Amino acid sequence: MSTPTNTWAPYGTELTSRFLLGTAGYPSPQVLAHSIAASGTQIVTVGLKRTLAAGGDNGFVEIIRTAMQEHGAHLLPNTAGCRTAREAITLAHMARELYGTRWIKLEVVGDEHTLQPDPWGTVDAAAQLTRDGFAVFPYCTDDLVTCQRLLDVGCEVLMPWGAPIGSGQGLINPFALRTLRARLPGVPLIVDAGIGAPSHAAAAMELGFDAVLLNSAVAQAVDPVRMARGFGLAIQAGRAAYEAGVMAPQDMAVASTPVSGHPFLIN
Amino acid sequence: MLQFNDINLPCPEGLTLAALLEAQEVDANQIATAVNGEFVPRALRAQTRLAAGDTVLTFQAIVGG
């Protein structure tokens, strides 16, 4: 991998990678470990579940902890599955104890079919968790006012969706994402969910987003390790393009070769 | 009786959360606990007394997106 062009610092933690990687759905712990290494990620997401008699996770969590130690990276536990602010707050406290981090990816789902975040529940939970000392990474929609309310209650990072979780549709509302970037300069913005292909991730970065979080697009690839590498490169390319300044599109052709008139005058 | 991870168990007088976990041979450092939907920190398990009708859940680390 080439050297990233610069760093970013969610909640004051300076990072060189702008790729946040989910850890669910990989074919084996070994593939997950290799995917983490290939991605260059410095943040991986993890979860919590109720303990059942069947128990066990087939060694995935141990692989994640080992990989994180080897790469000096960070864990970002989530509150997946929560439908109310109260549930999310409780799960966040458990995550802080189990994983030993105050970082929390806050998810409060409001619709079963789209898994769209509940804006009211998310804001309420974010407010309480911030008071409780958490560094909240809220999974939210691309609605500007919801994002502003999340900032009002103490969030320093926002994670608007690109499309519904696991859909792989890419950026379904680039206008809203551009609006967020324009209206919230200086706020670390991470596109979370809906990314299906590296080109989607590059497009998000070209819009000026600070990072991309994805899971299924790598885990469900035919070759997750190669796909993780591909996403890492795409995210770097998109960031480089944003920093370089993408040219303004034109309606009509604009000749690029500096010729003078016609090369031949033949009647 | 109380419910522990969906299993009905007797609830003797004075039973604490820590004692319940030990009796159930749970690795206490690998789980987080909730009683009646409220988080109980590790440090408070020994002094958290359980009562008949309580619901005790444990949570463990897993992969996630």
Side-chain angles (χ1 to χ4, degrees):
Chain A
M1 289 249 170
S2 60
T3 304
T5 51
N6 61 20
T7 61
W8 65 304
Y11 288 99
T13 298
E14 189 164 299
L15 303 170
T16 53
S17 171
R18 294 170 180 274
F19 186 1
L20 289 74
L21 185 62
T23 57
Y26 289 79
S28 73
Q30 289 70 31
V31 171
L32 171 58
H34 292 317
S35 297
I36 290 172
S39 71
T41 186
Q42 293 176 295
I43 300 178
V44 297
T45 55
V46 288
L48 274 79
K49 73 168 183 179
R50 280 181 56 185
T51 308
L52 300 172
D57 71 343
N58 298 320
F60 277 95
V61 172
E62 192 55 38
I63 282 284
I64 294 168
R65 289 188 190 278
T66 301
M68 291 301 90
Q69 287 167 359
E70 288 175 353
H71 300 289
H74 304 267
L75 294 176
L76 178 58
N78 67 32
T79 63
C82 291
R83 266 54 179 175
T84 66
R86 182 172 176 241
E87 287 178 353
I89 292 165
T90 301
L91 207 61
H93 280 271
M94 293 181 169
R96 183 163 64 180
E97 184 177 80
L98 267 180
Y99 288 110
T101 175
R102 72 184 190 101
W103 285 12
I104 192 72
K105 176 186 170 182
L106 175 61
E107 297 183 45
V108 182
V109 166
D111 179 73
E112 295 302 320
H113 292 273
T114 61
L115 298 181
Q116 180 170 332
D118 175 343
W120 291 272
T122 304
V123 170
D124 288 347
Q128 182 60 50
L129 290 171
T130 300
R131 286 193 291 272
D132 292 344
F134 284 86
V136 181
F137 293 66
Y139 170 56
C140 54
T141 65
D142 50 25
D143 179 74
L144 172 61
V145 177
T146 301
C147 287
Q148 289 173 322
R149 293 294 87 81
L150 287 165
L151 296 174
D152 291 343
V153 299
C155 295
E156 296 180 16
V157 173
L158 297 171
M159 301 210 299
W161 68 356
I165 293 171
S167 69
Q169 295 186 49
L171 310 182
I172 57 175
N173 194 347
F175 170 80
L177 296 176
R178 279 198 303 273
T179 302
L180 288 181
R181 183 66 292 170
R183 292 287 295 115
L184 305 173
V187 176
L189 297 177
I190 303 166
V191 167
D192 177 11
I195 299 291
S199 55
H200 301 154
M205 298 304 293
E206 288 172 12
L207 292 177
F209 276 69
D210 295 274
V212 170
L213 194 166
L214 59 93
N215 187 151
S216 302
V218 168
Q220 296 181 17
V222 175
D223 184 338
V225 179
R226 277 190 170 186
M227 189 60 82
R229 185 173 297 113
F231 267 106
L233 292 167
I235 289 165
Q236 286 190 22
R239 180 65 188 180
Y242 173 70
E243 291 172 355
V246 178
M247 67 167 281
Q250 309 289 326
D251 287 336
M252 297 294 169
V254 179
S256 54
T257 304
V259 296
S260 299
H262 297 279
F264 302 105
L265 292 174
I266 301 173
N267 292 321
Chain B
M1 301 292 279
L2 58 74
Q3 274 213 330
F4 175 72
N5 289 338
D6 295 335
I7 301 169
N8 288 318
L9 295 174
C11 184
E13 187 74 25
L15 179 67
T16 65
L17 179 56
L20 174 67
L21 297 177
E22 187 176 354
Q24 295 301 309
E25 299 181 342
V26 173
D27 186 343
N29 292 321
Q30 298 299 316
I31 50 111
T33 51
V35 176
N36 300 328
E38 296 291 337
F39 169 59
V40 179
R42 202 170 284 155
L44 297 182
R45 289 175 188 165
Q47 61 196 75
T48 299
R49 293 192 180 279
L50 301 173
D54 280 349
T55 298
V56 179
L57 297 177
T58 64
F59 290 76
Q60 66 186 75
I62 56 163
V63 294

